[in-house]
Every structure is written in C-alpha cells, then in structure tokens.
Amino acid sequence: MMATEDTASNKRETESVDNSALLANVSHEVRTPLNAILGYTSMLLDDVWGELNEKQRKSVRRISSNAQHLLGLLSDILDLTKLDAGKMPVHVDTFELSDLVREILEELEPLIEKAQLKAVGDFPQAPLWMESDRQKVKQIVVNLLTNALKFTPDGEIRIRISTRDESGLSEMAVIEVCDTGMGIAPRDQEKIFESFRQVDSSVRRARGGAGLGLAICRQFATMLNGSVSVLSEVGEGATFIVKLPMRIKARKETP
Ligand SMILES: Nc1ncnc2c1ncn2[C@@H]1O[C@H](COP(=O)(O)OP(=O)(O)O)[C@@H](O)[C@H]1O
Ligand SMILES: [Mg+2]
C-alpha cells in the first residue's frame, strides 16, 4: 500500500518536473518569435519604412497588442507551473513601498489614459521600508490595478497604502486597490481566485484575459506570508485588500 502510494507520488513528481522543463523550453521557443513580431510592429509604428495610413496603423496596433497579450499569458502559465512544482523562489529585497507603487502607476499610465479613468494614489507620509520580494509585490499590485482598469467602465481607481499591527503578527503593510466598476457578487468572490476562473458575463469575456491573474496574486501573497481578499457588491465597485508582513526572512537566513 505504502509502496504504491510512494510510486504514485514519485511518478507525479517526475511528471511535474518533466512538464516544467518542457514548458520552459516551449516558452523560450514561443517567446522568441513573439518578440520578433513585437520588434517589427514597433518599427512599423515608428514609420521606419514610411508613414502608415490610419487603417494600417490600427491593424499594426492590434497585432502588437495581441502579441503582448500572448507574452503575458505565457508568463502567467510559466509562473503557475513553477508555483505548482514548488519551484518559485523568493528573493528578499529592501524597498520602499510607496516608491514601488508610484513606479507601477507610471508604467500603467498609457493603460489608465486609454481607459479614461482617474487613478489616485493615497500614500502615507512616512516611508514604508519593506524586506520582501519586490518583484512579486509588484506583480500582485500590477495584476490588481489592471483588473480594476479592465472592469471599471467609468469613475476612478484608487490605491491606498497603510500599515496595521495585527495581534501576534509582525507589522503588516496593507495595500488596497479600490474601483468604481461593475463589482463582484458575493457568491463569485472566492471562485475568482482559482486558476482559469472568470465571472461569466459577455462584458467580462469581451475584455480578454485567461483568469490566471488572481490565482497568481493569491499564491504570491501566501508565499510572502500574507493574504489577498476582496470586498464587493454587484454594481458597487470592488476593493481588493493585500496584507503583507513588512519583513520576511530569506529562507536560507539563520535567525
Ligand atoms: N476589479 C474587479 N472588478 C470586477 N471583477 C473583477 C475585478 N477583478 C477581477 N474580477 C473578476 O475576477 C476574474 C478573474 O480575474 P483574473 O484572475 O485577474 O483574470 P482575468 O483578468 O484574466 O480575467 C475576472 O475575469 C473578473 O470576472
Ligand atoms: Mg487579471
């Protein structure tokens, strides 16, 4: 009995290793032509071979945004595969949280403008130094903000940063991403954190995405000893709340 279970779990392990090696290779093979497509579209959009007319420009932009979308999807799938195989490392850096969020808002500026929404940052006066995985915190916040942009037809999105002392726990950084969009029914609020889960509506389907973003957010937050949750009502907007310890210890560090 034990032997059979062992064999089964060994087999699963070998399969997941094989799968992630395969995916890493496939991902490289897919990324290379996608980057070539993006390079050529960007040259076309820069009028390197002459000025494009409006219809041509619109088509080339579509090619470019679809290629971007595929790259994003690929990187989400790779992240989830690594997470599933327990192969996602945590890198501890020291960074200031408000700076990181300002940097993200700047990077998202073109998307915010395109969505014709107001984006407001609400930062504490004192600097908030964190020792955590900067890249993962960044990815969580980018995911939540792009969702807020995607699911908010009008109004504003707001990101608020604060700290909270939770009894028995160390000081936590709290990042709240709040929008005035379509909201999420209570019965869907846990489902959306599962991979490939989206609230089924034609509006949402039309907005693209594969339903991986929040699954990655939750797993990243858990890896950083924190959490992500949501407060929302249909039609009343949504607030996603991320709580992360200000300091996590690097795994190899001895206390
Ligand atoms: N701010 C939001 N407002 C309304 N619905 C949201 C919001 N964020 C996420 N959702 C719902 O949760 C689903 C899953 O989100 P996510 O995992 O990021 O996938 P994707 O963005 O690819 O659809 C979305 O498809 C949407 O139905
Ligand atoms: Mg998303």
Side-chain angles (χ1 to χ4, degrees):
M1 179 76 181
M2 280 301 282
T4 341
E5 267 175 18
D6 272 4
T7 323
S9 90
N10 280 345
K11 187 165 172 256
R12 260 200 312 277
E13 217 161 80
T14 323
E15 270 170 11
S16 92
V17 171
D18 285 354
N19 275 342
S20 57
L22 176 74
L23 255 161
N25 282 324
V26 171
S27 135
H28 176 76
E29 295 304 319
V30 177
R31 233 180 264 246
T32 310
L34 275 177
N35 278 318
I37 293 172
L38 284 168
Y40 282 108
T41 51
S42 130
M43 282 196 274
L44 282 167
L45 290 171
D46 285 345
D47 296 329
V48 171
W49 292 294
E51 203 170 319
L52 301 183
N53 67 36
E54 257 336 287
K55 279 199 174 135
Q56 292 167 332
R57 193 170 294 281
K58 212 168 154 186
S59 302
V60 177
R61 277 211 199 99
R62 289 232 167 104
I63 297 171
S64 170
S65 74
N66 278 284
Q68 294 274 12
H69 178 78
L70 279 177
L71 267 185
L73 182 60
L74 195 62
S75 115
D76 282 355
I77 291 175
L78 263 183
D79 280 354
L80 275 176
T81 317
K82 278 194 206 150
L83 284 164
D84 281 350
K87 285 194 169 171
M88 177 65 82
V90 173
H91 298 285
V92 180
D93 320 278
T94 303
F95 58 94
E96 208 281 302
L97 185 60
S98 301
D99 277 351
L100 175 64
V101 171
R102 285 197 188 93
E103 176 187 308
I104 295 169
L105 285 173
E106 254 167 51
E107 283 175 19
L108 293 181
E109 191 56 49
L111 272 185
I112 297 169
E113 237 166 67
K114 198 170 156 215
Q116 295 185 307
L117 290 170
K118 203 170 118 195
V120 187
D122 206 342
F123 304 107
Q125 274 184 336
L128 251 175
W129 288 98
M130 291 188 66
E131 279 166 34
S132 189
D133 189 322
R134 187 178 192 277
Q135 192 48 45
K136 290 193 178 59
V137 177
K138 180 166 181 176
Q139 206 168 322
I140 293 172
V141 174
V142 168
N143 266 319
L144 296 180
L145 281 172
T146 45
N147 278 347
L149 288 169
K150 207 155 58 155
F151 301 113
T152 305
D154 50 59
E156 63 168 39
I157 58 173
R158 185 175 284 272
I159 180 159
R160 206 170 89 86
I161 290 170
S162 57
T163 55
R164 199 167 300 169
D165 279 314
E166 302 225 328
S167 56
L169 293 171
S170 51
E171 192 183 22
M172 305 288 268
V174 183
I175 308 166
E176 286 158 285
V177 177
C178 185
D179 65 56
T180 56
M182 55 184 70
I184 305 151
R187 67 186 151 85
D188 294 322
Q189 288 175 8
E190 268 312 303
K191 290 185 203 155
I192 54 173
F193 289 99
E194 292 165 19
S195 312
F196 296 108
R197 279 302 268 276
Q198 293 170 303
V199 178
D200 196 25
S201 87
S202 51
V203 191
R204 289 184 224 250
R205 250 182 276 123
R207 279 163 212 255
L212 297 179
L214 288 175
I216 294 174
C217 283
R218 178 157 277 177
Q219 295 207 48
F220 278 5
T222 307
M223 282 183 90
L224 303 179
N225 300 329
S227 62
V228 187
S229 55
V230 64
L231 290 175
S232 182
E233 293 285 342
V234 172
E236 301 283 319
T239 299
F240 283 81
I241 303 153
V242 186
K243 289 186 195 165
L244 297 170
M246 301 283 289
R247 274 167 202 89
I248 56 164
K249 289 211 160 60
R251 264 187 229 164
K252 46 181 187 278
E253 239 174 42
T254 38

